[in-house]
Amino acid sequence: MASISKGPIRLFQRFSSTTTTTTFTAKATPSKDHLHSPIPKEFFPKGYLLTGIHAGIKKPRPGQSNPPVDLALVLSTSPHPTAAAACFTLNAFRAAPVLVSRDVLDNSNGRARAVVVNSGCANAVTGKKGIEDAWSMVRAGDALLRAHGLPSSDGEQPITNETLVMSTGVIGVNLPIAAVVSAIHTQSDPSSPTYALASTPTAWDATARAFMTTDTFPKLRARTFQINGSTYRMAGMDKGAGMIHPRMVGSDSLPTSLHATLLGLILTDAPVSPRSLQSALSHAVDRSFNSISVDGDMSTNDTIIALANGAGVPNERSNRVEEIDEGTDRDAYRIFRDELTTFAIDLAKLVVRDGEGATKFVEVSVENAASYPDAHCIASTISTSALVKTALYGEDANWGRILSSTGSATLRTPLDPSSVSVSFVPSSPTDSAPTPLPVLINGEPAGVDEARASQILGQDEFRIVVDLGGQGVGGKEGAKYWTCDFSYEYVRINGDYRS
């Protein structure tokens, strides 16, 4: 997505039979270049081969010399069993890859060794043909595993299907499945000139690029962490810029009846049991991807997948790998869960920073609530308010809109309006704590310093803090949400998304 120009945009307002013309200068979308930079190889987890290639789903743009990558392939090559977990959208029109990946996980008891992701076509609301196509991607991924001679993810007994699939793009359009399957098969022979699977930083970057639709940069992060004296690695990629307001749960939590997209993949070389990987991922997603919003629209395809392959276990212990499990080593599990949560938050923030047409990155923090669900509900209501988001774009400290959203949230414990306070908090370029600007204190207007308010809201990043004052019951719970503004560029992008 290119930044919009700063030239005047003409607006027309109709009053009776008279039409007047108003001109103004629209703000340019800030550069996102600093959000993508090279990552040293030692930060990437061991035991994975991956790549991003062109399958023919996306068409080259005018003047584009190389065809766009639109198919990501990931294989776990670890000699140890690979655990898999996922959180899926609760949208009633869940896409074919969501339904199929859920079935794969259910039938494999949380084991999988490959992930296939396509961009450019969501394979959503595509009927029986869409389901068949998603299974074709699964079978092609399984064939790729066999071509590389990789053992079963379970380590003991064969698993029928070991590939999870994700799709993103336009809804209601069928995949060119023959081209997709053919592209997957090109990676079966390492001696082939078209073979691209690798474990290099370049391969990781290409894989992240294959996730992209309206994204302006590949969202890729990696880090190391320690558990019980051993160093492990974690890397992840996600995509999303519009149709972002996820509500995802683990496959074991989905209701029996069916109740632009966010996709994410997190890979680690730590040994984690399937049940504990799912538990940790569900905890992390609730506090990260389920706590972001660009436009308030939940996608049909939202999916976060995690794989843990144990390839980072030190050599002297490699023959007796014991998976981290919350039932046998609660401390190790909590360390892993918290590392995963922090990492997922970093990935989720990248989606908001790349929000379609966004010029602001805003953290909404709700404090001193009676419960986490109440705090999370209020933060979500504020973050999805079109009136709040347009005020953010206009750099208008219209705190009345924040209060209106706060008061409209459906809560378990009633609010005490006389205890609620609201502040704007600037970002700080240093480690020093920034000074908040109170606009409401215990239900009473604080008298806004408009000059300082304009200074804070003029920043690319800042915080909105809503203190519920204990919610009448001495509550100390809190929740955070990350959101962005609504701009004219958002309307332009989504007005011609299919064209």
Side-chain angles (χ1 to χ4, degrees):
M1 178 185 69
S3 297
I4 59 175
S5 67
K6 294 186 179 181
I9 296 177
R10 298 174 69 86
L11 291 181
F12 297 92
Q13 297 175 310
R14 185 174 297 279
F15 301 97
S16 300
S17 60
T18 304
T19 299
T20 61
T21 301
T22 302
T23 62
F24 71 99
T25 301
K27 291 180 293 184
T29 304
S31 171
K32 314 291 175 66
D33 292 345
H34 64 288
L35 297 173
H36 177 244
S37 58
I39 299 175
K41 183 177 182 179
E42 56 267 24
F43 285 89
F44 291 110
K46 300 177 180 179
Y48 292 99
L49 288 176
L50 65 173
T51 190
I53 58 177
H54 176 66
I57 305 170
K58 294 179 183 175
K59 305 303 179 187
R61 296 176 181 175
Q64 190 173 16
S65 57
N66 296 318
V69 290
D70 51 20
L71 185 68
L73 304 174
V74 178
L75 307 182
S76 170
T77 62
S78 172
H80 310 301
T82 299
C87 289
F88 300 108
T89 183
L90 286 177
N91 192 297
F93 288 95
R94 287 201 291 274
V98 171
L99 300 174
V100 168
S101 289
R102 178 191 175 189
D103 283 350
V104 170
L105 276 180
D106 287 347
N107 294 327
S108 68
N109 295 317
R111 299 288 183 183
R113 191 175 280 275
V115 181
V116 177
V117 185
N118 78 268
S119 58
C121 175
N123 192 15
V125 198
T126 46
K128 294 181 180 179
K129 180 65 166 60
I131 297 291
E132 293 170 0
D133 290 347
W135 277 113
S136 293
M137 291 172 66
V138 169
R139 289 189 290 270
D142 292 340
L144 193 60
L145 289 170
R146 292 193 296 271
H148 284 77
L150 297 174
S152 169
S153 300
D154 186 83
E156 297 178 359
Q157 56 186 8
I159 298 174
T160 303
N161 300 116
E162 301 184 80
T163 300
L164 303 176
V165 293
M166 296 189 284
S167 299
T168 179
V170 178
I171 295 172
V173 177
N174 288 114
L175 279 167
I177 192 61
V180 172
V181 170
S182 177
I184 295 172
H185 290 333
T186 65
Q187 302 305 303
S188 298
D189 183 3
S191 65
S192 170
T194 59
Y195 188 82
L197 285 166
S199 57
T200 63
T202 300
W204 283 90
D205 191 74
T207 305
R209 289 182 185 277
F211 277 57
M212 296 169 59
T213 52
T214 59
D215 306 69
T216 65
F217 64 93
K219 300 172 177 65
L220 176 65
R221 290 292 184 268
R223 68 191 303 173
T224 61
F225 60 99
Q226 288 198 332
I227 299 179
N228 293 339
S230 296
T231 298
Y232 298 106
R233 287 143 290 273
M234 183 180 295
M237 58 201 74
D238 59 1
K239 65 81 53 189
M243 198 182 283
I244 301 297
H245 186 70
R247 184 176 170 224
M248 296 177 283
V249 297
S251 60
D252 56 347
S253 302
L254 287 175
T256 304
S257 59
L258 290 185
H259 200 294
T261 298
L262 186 146
L263 301 183
L265 176 62
I266 299 175
L267 307 172
T268 181
D269 56 14
V272 187
S273 70
R275 72 163 186 167
S276 291
L277 184 62
Q278 183 63 66
S279 176
L281 183 65
S282 296
H283 177 92
V285 165
D286 192 45
R287 289 156 179 78
S288 56
F289 296 104
N290 281 357
S291 296
I292 63 173
S293 186
V294 169
D295 46 26
D297 280 314
M298 183 198 304
S299 170
T300 56
N301 293 58
D302 291 335
T303 304
I304 304 296
I305 291 174
L307 299 184
N309 69 4
V313 173
N315 290 333
E316 63 271 17
R317 292 169 42 206
S318 61
N319 292 327
R320 46 186 179 86
V321 172
E322 184 175 337
E323 294 181 324
I324 296 168
D325 187 90
E326 55 188 316
T328 58
D329 192 339
R330 186 70 178 171
D331 291 340
Y333 165 75
R334 284 178 174 170
I335 292 172
F336 175 77
R337 182 198 66 186
D338 293 347
E339 289 287 348
L340 181 62
T341 300
T342 301
F343 187 70
I345 289 173
D346 288 344
L347 283 176
K349 286 181 178 180
L350 291 178
V351 174
V352 179
R353 292 181 186 279
D354 199 24
E356 291 171 345
T359 70
K360 306 291 182 185
F361 175 82
V362 181
E363 178 181 287
V364 178
S365 179
V366 177
E367 302 175 349
N368 296 316
S371 64
Y372 173 79
D374 275 3
H376 193 265
C377 179
I378 290 175
S380 172
T381 305
I382 294 170
S383 298
T384 55
S385 166
L387 290 176
V388 171
K389 291 164 77 69
T390 51
L392 295 177
Y393 177 75
E395 301 177 359
D396 178 12
N398 194 332
W399 54 269
R401 295 181 178 181
I402 298 171
L403 259 293
S404 179
S405 294
T406 300
S408 69
T410 302
L411 307 177
R412 299 179 179 181
T413 302
L415 277 178
D416 176 8
S418 65
S419 299
V420 176
S421 301
V422 177
S423 299
F424 292 107
V425 184
S427 61
S428 177
T430 65
D431 293 334
S432 60
T435 303
L437 173 65
V439 293
L440 185 80
I441 300 176
N442 294 327
E444 296 288 338
V448 180
D449 180 344
E450 294 292 350
R452 183 148 189 264
S454 295
Q455 182 184 45
I456 294 174
L457 272 71
Q459 295 181 324
D460 292 342
E461 300 182 23
F462 54 89
R463 297 171 60 216
I464 297 172
V465 178
V466 179
D467 189 331
L468 302 185
Q471 214 169 333
V473 295
K476 299 294 183 183
E477 294 296 323
K480 293 179 180 180
Y481 232 86
W482 295 274
T483 191
C484 58
D485 56 345
F486 267 157
S487 70
Y488 299 99
E489 179 70 350
Y490 176 86
V491 176
R492 185 197 66 77
I493 292 169
N494 286 282
D496 65 357
Y497 178 67
R498 293 202 308 166
S499 57

